[in-house]
Amino acid sequence: MAQQLEAFLGIPLEKVIKSAGETLYMVGWSLIIGAVIGFVLAVFLWMTRKDGLKRNDILYTILNAIINIIRSTPFIILMVCVMPFTKAIVGTRIGTKAALVPLVIYIAPYFSRLIENALLGVDEGIIEAAKSMGATTFQIVIKFVFPEAFASMILGITTGTIGLIGATAMAGYIGGGGVGNLALTYGYQTFNTNLMVFTVVILIVLVWIVQAIGNGLARKRRVHS
Amino acid sequence: MSLIRLEHLTKIFDGKNKVEALNDVSLEIEEGDIYGIIGYSGAGKSTLVRMINALEVPTSGKVFVEDQCLGDLSDKELRTTRKKIGMIFQQFNLLNSKTIYNNVAIPLKLNGVGKADIDKRVDELLTFVGLADRKNAYPDQLSGGQKQRVGIARALANNPSILLCDEATSALDPKTTESILDLLKEINEKLNVTIIVITHEMNVIRHICNKVAVMDYGKVVENGSVIDVFTNPQTKIAREFVGNLIHDEVPAPLVPGIRAMTENYKILRIKMKNTEHTEPLLWELNTKFEVKTNLLYCTISIIEGIVIGIMLVLFAGTDDEIRKCEEYILKCGEQYEEVEL
């Protein structure tokens, strides 16, 4: 069975497994780090906006501008631009670990927008009710806004993670490896259609699983009957 | 001494168009009152009620709660004061991600109450509002009336002395509205909570309030006891609100017939609230004077336990006899006014 598959793909199976591992590594870590940074940025954006709990026009404008600039830069260009920074942090410009830096920089602003939207979706009335109960700003955020926004935040992070999987395919350019890179270098560039189709199927399954997990987590908090 | 004293409150919202939401509003609310504030949308009543728990800060003027000026309090003191003022909302504002139990428990948790005491208090509150069996349900499994009951339980959690109701029944059907109003009345009587009710429905005022303020364009144009405002509204807007509830105009289909009358006549609106006068007034007028009476319209309302009757009566006869009738009505302790067609 394994031999037949290898014959079908035209490359050793370990190579496929290694690539899958690289993709999971890159997606996993940049998801965790990116989500944490994105979350903090989102809370700042939400708090400092015009009708926010701690309005601060200067901070909001700066944050908003940085996020917009990064989000409008294509990932492939971003990857090259941040190379000196990558070297300073990781010690090298290439490899799977080095790819994490541009991935996080790419995905964190995206996450922050998605999470900000989830926070903005919380009814102003909830915040007013919280204030009327004598809640502090911290309590309003932790005990009222987060629980209400949780399901939408999960769905936002799910959407962002799928974008992240797409971005990891490009990490091959700086030696990040991964399934997307396999499809590109061994599949597309050597006219190995079988391998290309197979790797695309792996990516489809991965995206499918991520979406299912996200939907499941969100539904648990949203539907009660 | 008033429980709540509002002194010369003005609120201006800056923006593209400057909006003066409140214009020199002063009110006093006594302990034990159910004070109604009525007005059309945009009259400023929501802004006014939000000043009592400092969700809105006046541009000028002062708010006193239990003789404490809210403007003088620090943020921390303000939060402590807010815990003694419950509030319920038109859209209920419950947390959809939490069970009924957890919704009601929130203000207790914010207050640092222990787990066992929270359990006991939540059970007590849910029993009081009649939802003890729904404590593990979520808000989206409840009807509008039930959601407002949860809102009320939550607002009462910290034993407030004041309850603010912002259009609390406006999203509910008439029957549910009535049951919520009955519950508010019970809270006022049993728990001795002073209640301030914001509404655009005169029915709400009639059902539970003892005092009322009528607002129009940021001003209180009329205020006083509900009976006085109902029986003797002074301003046009107050008459409109009362008129919505107690119809006191000549029914339109009768007008052409009356206009076609050849006899001398006059139509009087007689307001009966003197319960000591038990004689049948119309019979007396008919037998004592040379007039023929024709009852055009009659309505009876009960406000705060007092029966108020309004009759529209057409008197046919000479001016002299009709004048004697008018004098007799006043002698009986009732009021009247002439109605022009």
Side-chain angles (χ1 to χ4, degrees):
Chain A
M1 175 74 187
Q3 276 171 344
Q4 279 162 323
L5 191 59
E6 269 186 17
F8 176 73
L9 297 176
I11 58 161
L13 215 50
E14 300 111 72
K15 224 171 191 126
V16 179
I17 293 167
K18 185 168 167 276
S19 298
E22 283 161 354
T23 295
L24 287 179
Y25 175 88
M26 287 189 286
V27 171
W29 281 109
S30 46
L31 165 61
I32 293 167
I33 302 167
V36 170
I37 296 172
F39 181 77
V40 173
L41 290 177
V43 173
F44 268 109
L45 276 174
W46 179 77
M47 294 263 273
T48 57
R49 77 189 201 279
K50 202 167 135 278
D51 302 314
L53 288 171
K54 300 270 177 207
R55 178 177 175 178
N56 186 329
D57 291 350
I58 297 171
L59 195 57
Y60 180 84
T61 312
I62 293 172
L63 266 181
N64 200 35
I66 292 174
I67 288 171
N68 281 346
I69 289 168
I70 297 178
R71 286 209 52 212
S72 37
T73 311
F75 179 59
I76 203 104
I77 293 170
L78 186 76
M79 219 162 28
V80 180
C81 287
V82 300
M83 271 188 165
F85 183 63
T86 308
K87 174 137 173 130
I89 291 186
V90 191
T92 171
R93 292 159 197 262
I94 50 166
T96 313
K97 206 168 169 189
L100 285 183
V101 177
L103 279 171
V104 167
I105 293 174
Y106 170 74
I107 208 65
Y110 189 28
F111 276 144
S112 80
R113 277 285 179 246
L114 293 164
I115 295 170
E116 184 197 14
N117 277 342
L119 296 174
L120 289 173
V122 175
D123 193 343
E124 278 295 317
I126 297 279
I127 294 157
E128 194 170 48
K131 281 187 193 164
S132 81
M133 286 176 218
T136 62
T137 303
F138 182 74
Q139 287 170 328
I140 292 173
V141 175
I142 297 293
K143 290 189 187 288
F144 293 83
V145 177
F146 283 176
E148 288 298 281
F150 186 79
S152 323
M153 278 198 254
I154 293 294
L155 290 178
I157 289 172
T158 307
T159 307
T161 305
I162 287 162
L164 191 57
I165 294 171
T168 58
M170 281 176 269
Y173 277 102
I174 57 166
V179 179
N181 184 48
L182 197 68
L184 214 61
T185 50
Y186 288 85
Y188 179 71
Q189 284 165 2
T190 64
F191 306 103
N192 182 344
T193 312
N194 286 352
L195 178 65
M196 204 168 70
V197 171
F198 182 73
T199 50
V200 169
V201 169
I202 294 179
L203 287 174
I204 291 173
V205 171
L206 186 59
V207 167
W208 213 296
I209 291 171
V210 168
Q211 189 68 56
I213 292 172
N215 286 352
L217 280 175
R219 188 175 310 120
K220 228 169 132 185
R221 292 295 287 259
R222 197 172 255 174
V223 181
H224 310 298
S225 37
Chain B
M1 189 192 85
S2 310
L3 182 64
I4 299 166
R5 216 163 66 238
L6 310 176
E7 290 183 353
H8 307 292
L9 295 179
T10 300
K11 177 77 183 181
I12 295 162
F13 288 109
D14 282 323
K16 274 184 196 155
N17 307 313
K18 238 180 173 186
V19 179
E20 193 169 40
L22 290 180
N23 181 357
D24 193 23
V25 171
S26 296
L27 276 183
E28 291 199 14
I29 297 168
E30 308 284 334
E31 201 177 331
D33 275 347
I34 302 186
Y35 205 111
I37 299 173
I38 189 165
Y40 294 117
S41 305
K45 50 199 197 309
S46 276
T47 308
L48 184 66
V49 80
R50 277 166 175 70
M51 285 186 180
I52 298 173
N53 61 357
L55 289 179
E56 291 281 2
V57 179
T59 307
S60 67
K62 284 182 173 168
V63 180
F64 292 89
V65 175
E66 290 175 338
D67 272 329
Q68 179 75 60
C69 178
L70 296 188
D72 296 343
L73 298 178
S74 68
D75 281 358
K76 192 159 177 274
E77 289 167 322
L78 196 57
R79 284 197 297 274
T80 313
T81 304
R82 279 177 179 164
K83 285 174 183 169
K84 289 186 287 181
I85 306 175
M87 188 166 189
I88 58 174
F89 305 86
Q90 179 173 5
Q91 295 306 331
F92 323 120
N93 295 344
L94 302 177
L95 277 80
N96 287 317
S97 58
K98 292 189 185 288
T99 60
I100 302 312
Y101 172 94
N102 281 317
N103 266 287
V104 178
I106 282 187
L108 298 165
K109 286 179 185 162
L110 292 180
N111 231 3
V113 179
K115 178 87 178 67
D117 290 330
I118 290 180
D119 273 353
K120 197 166 144 262
R121 181 76 183 130
V122 173
D123 279 339
E124 227 172 74
L125 288 160
L126 287 178
T127 307
F128 181 75
V129 299
L131 286 173
D133 54 332
R134 302 309 306 271
K135 82 178 188 185
N136 294 317
Y138 284 86
D140 54 15
Q141 295 170 317
L142 301 186
S143 69
Q146 287 174 322
K147 283 184 198 170
Q148 196 55 287
R149 282 169 187 272
V150 177
I152 291 170
R154 182 176 72 175
L156 293 178
N158 284 322
N159 291 309
S161 50
I162 298 167
L163 180 63
L164 308 177
C165 309
D166 182 21
E167 297 276 6
T169 58
S170 300
L172 305 173
D173 63 65
K175 203 175 160 214
T176 314
T177 294
E178 196 157 310
S179 78
I180 294 292
L181 292 177
D182 288 341
L183 180 62
L184 291 177
K185 186 124 198 162
E186 195 182 338
I187 289 163
N188 173 257
E189 284 164 1
K190 281 195 188 158
L191 309 177
N192 195 27
V193 175
T194 304
I195 299 179
I196 292 107
V197 178
I198 297 290
T199 185
H200 60 267
E201 295 168 311
M202 205 57 181
N203 183 37
V204 171
I205 305 282
R206 174 179 65 172
H207 204 99
I208 57 168
C209 296
N210 64 331
K211 288 186 194 147
V212 62
V214 182
M215 286 193 75
D216 196 21
Y217 292 108
K219 282 190 173 191
V220 169
V221 292
E222 191 165 343
N223 67 324
S225 83
V226 170
I227 297 187
D228 286 346
V229 173
F230 261 85
T231 53
N232 200 10
Q234 300 295 314
T235 54
K236 183 174 163 286
I237 184 162
R239 274 197 294 275
E240 268 173 39
F241 277 119
V242 173
N244 286 339
L245 201 63
I246 305 176
H247 187 87
D248 62 356
E249 300 293 325
V250 177
L254 299 181
V255 174
I258 297 169
R259 286 221 172 103
M261 276 174 59
T262 49
E263 267 178 288
N264 183 46
Y265 72 92
K266 199 171 186 180
I267 300 169
L268 298 184
R269 184 184 288 118
I270 306 172
K271 298 186 174 184
M272 321 245 298
K273 57 172 177 174
N274 182 4
T275 45
E276 283 159 30
H277 182 83
T278 52
E279 298 299 316
L281 183 64
L282 282 185
W283 178 80
E284 285 183 317
L285 291 170
N286 275 312
T287 48
K288 286 187 203 282
F289 309 104
E290 283 293 312
V291 289
K292 286 186 279 178
T293 62
N294 186 4
L295 183 59
L296 302 176
Y297 188 85
C298 179
T299 174
I300 287 176
S301 296
I302 301 171
I303 297 163
E304 283 192 79
I306 295 176
V307 180
I308 296 171
I310 294 178
M311 291 192 294
L312 286 170
V313 183
L314 184 142
F315 292 83
T318 62
D319 283 341
D320 200 37
E321 286 299 312
I322 294 172
R323 199 172 51 247
K324 283 184 198 161
C325 288
E326 290 173 349
E327 282 161 10
Y328 189 78
I329 292 167
L330 292 178
K331 212 180 89 191
C332 294
E334 310 294 6
Q335 290 172 319
Y336 74 89
E337 58 201 27
E338 198 182 333
V339 178
E340 303 282 348
L341 277 185

